[in-house]
Amino acid sequence: MILRPTPLLVLLHCLVMATTLGWPSAAYAETKLEAGDVIELVIAGAQPITQRAAIGRDGELNLASAGSFNAAGLTLAELRSRVQERLVSRVFYTRSIDGRDRPTSIEAGDIAVRVAEYRPVYVNGDVSKPGEQPFRPGLTVRQAIAVAGGLDVARFRVKDPFLDAAEFRSEYEALWTEYANALAEKLRIDADLQGKRDIATAGFEETPLGPKVTQGMIEMAGRRLATSRANLDQDKQHLRRLIGQLDEQITLLREQQEQEREGLKADREEAEGTQALLKRGITSATRTTEARRAFLLSSTRLLQTGAQLSEMSKQREEARRKLDKLDEQYRADLLRELQEADVRVLTLRAKIRGVSEKLLYAGVMKSQLVRGSGGKPQLAVFRKTETGRTRIEATEDTELIPSDVVEVTLALETPLGPPAEPSR
């Protein structure tokens, strides 16, 4: 006896599949099949045939009964029609109770095509178990988050978020204070390089320290500027006084040198005269020796005065050179200090950003521990379209389709406020 395949058998099989997989809603009727979807073909009959195959990366679907063809980009209804076209009126041989193979033709009602396994969805962000999830028709963002363990930033948790938040807050305030002080020093150097006496206030408006604190830092920088300029002026005055004193000594030495030259000339004439008289026998040898000794003393004094004059002139030249280079050296030192101040300001800004992020995370974790869920999540779905992945703002009731990526972000309900203004 041969059991003819009937639509009732197919219907019964579909009911079993619907119980297992769930009926796809109208939203999925137009969903395109893609690589990774697993298709199940059921052909009803005395000996029902069930076949499963996944759509390959190249889009090909290979069903033993229906053959191989490209299924990527088709809807389920289009795939069902294509399979039916290939199988309707095709003859299959089934074995009857008496062991004989008898030909059986297939009708459209004998064929059932379903998606046995959909492409998975992915949940990422502030959930307990981010990653891949099996897709089921009717899956919503709320259900996907629940399967992922719910909202959670505990995976970022280190020690105690309350202690961490207090520590980060203290470090945050200290870094802002240090940053404002470094900024004041940088502005002080800028003003000094430009020859200004007042400190600019540009950049202090972004600091959360309060006007009293920043004004105090600006005033302190102004006093450092005045002191630095006063020291420079004192150095200049000292060198000018030294040059003046050396000029006076050089003038005196030159006068003394001139007088000693005249004395040397007279002593030379005296020595030569006595020598001539000695030859004529008019004077004594003692007188000649004394005249020669006086000439030698005058020569020695003139040489000593010349050496002193040379040393004084050298000292005056060095003092003048120092005075000329004082402004140049002062400016070079300022440029070096400005470079160091710039590096320090940039380094502190980077540290402030890092501590700020730590403080935000600690705040979220505190909120989660107190209320159990942290701040209100921001939800987005990244969905594959013909133009690529598209970001869609979502709610917890947004329905998902296969291969969607859900991004969950917990935002801190209370924004990060400025550090408290220290008492003065």
Side-chain angles (χ1 to χ4, degrees):
M1 178 179 178
I2 300 175
L3 292 177
R4 293 289 299 167
T6 64
L8 179 60
L9 291 174
V10 177
L11 178 60
L12 290 173
H13 183 80
C14 292
L15 287 173
V16 174
M17 292 177 62
T19 303
T20 304
L21 301 177
W23 286 101
S25 65
Y28 307 103
E30 299 300 323
T31 301
K32 306 292 185 181
L33 299 173
E34 297 291 344
D37 287 333
V38 178
I39 306 301
E40 184 174 77
L41 167 65
V42 177
I43 303 174
Q47 295 178 346
I49 299 173
T50 302
Q51 297 173 357
R52 277 193 179 192
I55 300 176
R57 297 183 62 180
D58 57 356
E60 289 293 312
L61 175 64
N62 188 1
L63 294 169
S65 299
S68 178
F69 54 91
N70 193 303
L74 300 178
T75 63
L76 184 59
E78 292 171 341
L79 176 63
R80 186 181 298 112
S81 298
R82 185 166 296 187
V83 172
Q84 288 176 348
E85 290 175 359
R86 293 193 174 203
L87 296 180
V88 168
S89 301
R90 186 173 175 179
V91 177
F92 281 81
Y93 287 90
T94 59
R95 180 161 297 183
S96 61
I97 296 177
D98 58 6
R100 298 181 180 180
D101 292 334
R102 296 187 179 277
T104 303
S105 61
I106 299 176
E107 299 179 359
D110 302 333
I111 301 170
V113 178
R114 291 286 182 272
V115 179
E117 296 179 15
Y118 291 91
R119 285 159 285 149
V121 296
Y122 303 87
V123 181
N124 187 33
D126 295 327
V127 293
S128 294
K129 296 181 291 183
E132 176 183 312
Q133 294 183 15
F135 175 81
R136 292 292 182 268
L139 181 68
T140 65
V141 171
R142 187 193 306 275
Q143 293 168 342
I145 293 175
V147 174
L151 301 173
D152 188 15
V153 290
R155 57 200 177 98
F156 295 115
R157 190 171 297 151
V158 281
K159 298 175 291 184
D160 184 336
F162 293 92
L163 295 178
D164 285 341
E167 181 180 346
F168 294 149
R169 169 65 69 175
S170 175
E171 185 178 359
Y172 178 76
E173 296 176 1
L175 283 173
W176 267 120
T177 303
E178 191 175 354
Y179 170 81
N181 190 52
L183 180 61
E185 184 66 12
K186 176 179 179 296
L187 294 175
R188 191 270 300 175
I189 298 171
D190 280 333
D192 208 350
L193 282 170
Q194 299 174 24
K196 297 179 179 179
R197 298 295 180 178
D198 296 326
I199 304 294
T201 59
F204 282 97
E205 62 277 0
E206 67 177 346
T207 63
L209 298 177
K212 292 183 179 179
V213 176
T214 55
Q215 184 60 34
M217 290 184 175
I218 294 172
E219 292 175 358
M220 182 63 69
R223 286 194 287 271
R224 288 198 298 269
L225 174 60
T227 301
S228 180
R229 277 290 174 179
N231 291 336
L232 177 63
D233 292 339
Q234 287 179 0
D235 291 341
K236 288 181 178 180
Q237 291 174 6
H238 170 73
L239 289 173
R240 290 192 184 103
R241 285 195 301 269
L242 178 60
I243 292 172
Q245 293 171 359
L246 291 172
D247 284 340
E248 293 177 359
Q249 294 179 11
I250 289 171
T251 300
L252 293 174
L253 286 173
R254 283 175 178 172
E255 292 176 356
Q256 180 180 341
Q257 188 181 47
E258 187 61 28
Q259 294 173 0
E260 290 175 351
R261 281 197 185 100
E262 293 177 358
L264 178 63
K265 182 180 178 181
D267 289 342
R268 182 188 293 112
E269 292 175 354
E270 178 69 20
E272 291 174 352
T274 57
Q275 183 66 30
L277 292 174
L278 178 64
K279 289 180 179 180
R280 292 166 58 186
I282 299 175
T283 186
S284 64
T286 302
R287 173 62 180 158
T288 303
T289 301
E290 292 177 351
R292 187 178 298 169
R293 185 181 296 111
F295 170 70
L296 291 175
L297 289 174
S298 297
S299 299
T300 302
R301 284 197 299 269
L302 182 61
L303 289 174
Q304 291 175 347
T305 301
Q308 291 178 0
L309 182 60
S310 177
E311 180 64 23
M312 292 295 177
S313 298
K314 181 179 179 182
Q315 291 180 12
R316 183 188 183 282
E317 185 63 26
E318 290 178 355
R320 172 57 63 181
R321 190 182 302 112
K322 288 182 180 179
L323 181 61
D324 293 340
K325 290 186 176 181
L326 194 59
D327 285 329
E328 182 180 344
Q329 183 62 44
Y330 185 77
R331 183 173 181 83
D333 292 340
L334 285 178
L335 290 173
R336 175 178 51 79
E337 292 176 6
L338 179 61
Q339 183 179 12
E340 294 174 355
D342 281 333
V343 172
R344 182 163 181 76
V345 166
L346 292 175
T347 301
L348 288 171
R349 289 187 70 91
K351 288 183 178 180
I352 288 172
R353 284 195 297 270
V355 174
S356 177
E357 291 177 1
K358 291 179 182 178
L359 190 54
L360 284 171
Y361 277 122
V364 173
M365 288 186 282
K366 283 173 56 181
S367 177
Q368 184 187 24
L369 287 177
V370 172
R371 294 186 295 275
S373 62
K376 184 176 179 59
Q378 297 176 356
L379 306 174
V381 173
F382 294 86
R383 181 166 295 171
K384 185 177 180 181
T385 62
E386 295 180 356
T387 58
R389 285 278 177 184
T390 301
R391 188 180 189 279
I392 303 171
E393 296 293 337
T395 66
E396 293 179 334
D397 295 323
T398 299
E399 289 195 11
L400 302 175
I401 64 174
S403 77
D404 276 352
V405 178
V406 181
E407 186 74 27
V408 182
T409 305
L410 276 174
L412 185 63
E413 292 180 354
T414 303
L416 182 62
E421 184 174 318
S423 58
R424 298 190 62 186

